[in-house]
Amino acid sequence: MRYLSTRGGAEPKRFTEILLEGLASDGGLYVPEVYPRADLPKWRGMAYPELAHAILAHFMDDVADLAGIVRRTYTREIFRSEEITPLKTLEPGLHILELANGPTLAFKDLALQLLGNLFESVLQKENQTLNILGATSGDTGSAAEHALRGRRNVNVFMLSPRGRMSAFQSAQMYSLQDPNIHNLAVEGVFDDCQDLVKQVNADAAFKARYRIGAVNSINWARVAAQVVYYFKGYFAVTRRDSEQVSFAVPSGNFGNIYAGYVARRMGLPIRKLILASNENDVLDEFFRTGKYRARKAAVATSSPSMDISKASNFERYVFELLGRDAARVRESFSSGSEFDLSKLPRTGFVSGRSSHADRIATIKRIHQTYGVTIDPHTADGVKVGLEQREAGVPLICLETALPAKFAQTIREALGRDAQRPAGFEALEHLPQRFEVVSPDAAAVKRYIAAHAV
């Protein structure tokens, strides 16, 4: 399998080359040259590790011992379940796919635990080092740090918006004392963090000198890993390979739902990909109108991991929407923060928006009706999913995190705290270690230069 840049200015590469690179040298994102075809009859009934290997072997065909890496990643010890992503049925035709049973209680663990093992394997084989630079709005940072903490030959520099995450999310990151973990709290919003990552990566000489890599969903390995659970969810609710299902997906950066798009391109019978935005509704606006209009800044909400005004993975979808015309992609994303694609069909996607009042009401409703507590991001997905639900088509709502990570919102909705898994009882009281930085790329580069592996 070879990978192309969405902007057409980089040579096609194999997976292990783009694994360590992150953004392409031309500023684009890597996508597969072709989409492999799913073998639904063969894959149905496979356990999660076996299914993951069957799918990922198409995308990662140059990784030595991929089967062993996958087997070490998806275990009961790490994900607290033999199923890895158990299905919870609320009522016939309405399901929640549990994706948040990993070490940091968020769906990001499913991809980042794999990414950590891939990094370690490739770096050891090539006797190389890597400095990871990432941005997080809440869950990516902790999932990446917990996957890479203590690993040899890797340093992590994670940018997060100071004061914009929940206390639980901040503590998960800032309480880590491993010397290869560096938390930089940016005086700004997530979009500032994301812009800083892009600015540092745009300095080709600096990126090469310090071997800057990526763990954000711009890294194709994360998208590929997330494709797996769409197939797992589909097999869990269907008996025949001709049946259709719909998925409701909370989305801010477009990575999670884009993985569903890839699964459909591979042949998974997905009727609708239902995108749920919070008050930062740039993606909902696009799928309703065909017009993309990035905001100047994200507003703070009670589903903070979706507080994003520029969806970095969206470029991959635009590349496909424009018939893989890299020149038009470059033009669209270099001409400013707005463009109009309303004349092009956006088939297979529908969308909706959820507010704070909506997610509070949804958390209450799901708890009262089914005795299940969901987090505010999952609530956004459930709310919009139910609005778009079709009779006779199973609806699978993707869980994004456990409710314990968002205590304030759960207290407002239910009048009590969400139950915490064992080991997380006093998380916020642990000593914390982080550096406050201004939203300045030069300052970030100075810090990396002083602490790089």
Side-chain angles (χ1 to χ4, degrees), residues 167-236:
F168 190 106
Q169 288 175 308
S170 298
Q172 275 192 311
M173 295 171 56
Y174 299 164
S175 65
L176 293 181
Q177 303 298 320
D178 305 78
N180 72 322
I181 301 298
H182 302 271
N183 280 301
L184 304 179
V186 177
E187 296 281 18
V189 298
F190 171 74
D191 296 305
D192 296 315
C193 302
Q194 191 161 258
D195 287 343
L196 287 169
V197 170
K198 292 179 179 179
Q199 290 169 33
V200 172
N201 275 281
D203 185 338
F206 184 89
K207 181 177 179 179
R209 180 179 179 183
Y210 293 102
R211 293 192 55 78
I212 303 297
V215 290
N216 283 78
S217 49
I218 59 173
N219 189 310
W220 175 260
R222 279 194 51 188
V223 175
Q226 292 174 178
V227 170
V228 176
Y229 51 70
Y230 282 89
F231 283 89
K232 187 66 162 56
Y234 175 82
F235 291 137

Side-chain angles (χ1 to χ4, degrees), residues 89-118:
T89 298
L90 302 183
E91 64 181 53
L94 178 61
H95 315 273
I96 291 178
L97 190 62
E98 296 184 18
L99 305 179
N101 294 323
T104 69
L105 315 183
F107 81 96
K108 308 288 179 76
D109 288 320
L110 286 157
L112 285 162
Q113 286 291 314
L114 177 71
L115 196 61
N117 287 328
L118 285 168

Side-chain angles (χ1 to χ4, degrees), residues 135-137 159-165 185-196 280 295-300 304 307-310 437 439:
T136 184
S137 55
L159 307 177
S160 57
R162 189 181 186 194
R164 290 282 188 136
M165 302 183 293
V186 177
E187 296 281 18
V189 298
F190 171 74
D191 296 305
D192 296 315
C193 302
Q194 191 161 258
D195 287 343
L196 287 169
N280 297 287
R295 312 298 193 253
K296 291 184 178 179
V299 299
D307 290 350
I308 299 167
S309 68
K310 304 171 193 172
V437 298

Side-chain angles (χ1 to χ4, degrees), residues 265-444:
R265 289 293 300 265
M266 292 174 66
L268 191 64
I270 299 176
R271 180 169 176 82
K272 286 182 180 179
L273 288 166
I274 303 168
L275 183 146
S277 292
N278 66 7
E279 292 88 337
N280 297 287
D281 56 358
V282 62
L283 291 173
D284 174 46
E285 181 179 62
F286 174 80
F287 283 103
R288 284 187 295 100
T289 68
K291 297 178 181 179
Y292 181 77
R293 185 172 58 92
R295 312 298 193 253
K296 291 184 178 179
V299 299
T301 76
S302 53
S303 50
S305 297
M306 293 158 59
D307 290 350
I308 299 167
S309 68
K310 304 171 193 172
S312 62
N313 270 286
F314 186 61
E315 183 169 327
R316 285 184 164 118
Y317 176 66
V318 171
F319 180 69
E320 304 294 350
L321 204 58
L322 292 174
R324 296 199 150 201
D325 187 334
R328 291 184 67 187
V329 173
R330 284 198 308 273
E331 179 184 355
S332 297
F333 284 94
S334 62
S335 61
S337 57
E338 299 184 20
F339 49 84
D340 188 345
L341 300 178
S342 57
K343 294 182 180 179
L344 298 175
R346 301 172 299 283
T347 308
F349 282 91
V350 294
S351 67
R353 182 182 186 275
S354 178
S355 67
H356 177 72
D358 291 328
R359 65 186 66 98
I360 293 297
T362 303
I363 291 169
K364 286 182 178 178
R365 173 184 175 184
I366 297 301
H367 186 264
Q368 291 171 353
T369 307
Y370 306 108
V372 173
T373 305
I374 56 176
D375 89 286
H377 306 79
T378 305
D380 289 335
V382 170
K383 183 260 185 185
V384 176
L386 290 173
E387 291 174 344
Q388 299 285 353
R389 187 183 185 185
E390 296 175 287
V393 180
L395 175 63
I396 302 175
C397 301
L398 297 193
E399 177 186 69
T400 61
L402 293 193
K405 301 188 77 167
F406 306 96
Q408 182 176 340
T409 303
I410 300 303
R411 279 196 297 269
E412 181 179 347
L414 303 180
R416 59 168 179 78
D417 288 336
Q419 184 178 358
R420 292 192 175 200
F424 292 91
E425 295 85 358
L427 180 66
E428 292 92 333
H429 301 293
L430 296 174
Q432 297 189 4
R433 180 174 64 90
F434 61 94
E435 295 283 338
V436 178
V437 298
S438 61
D440 175 61
V444 172

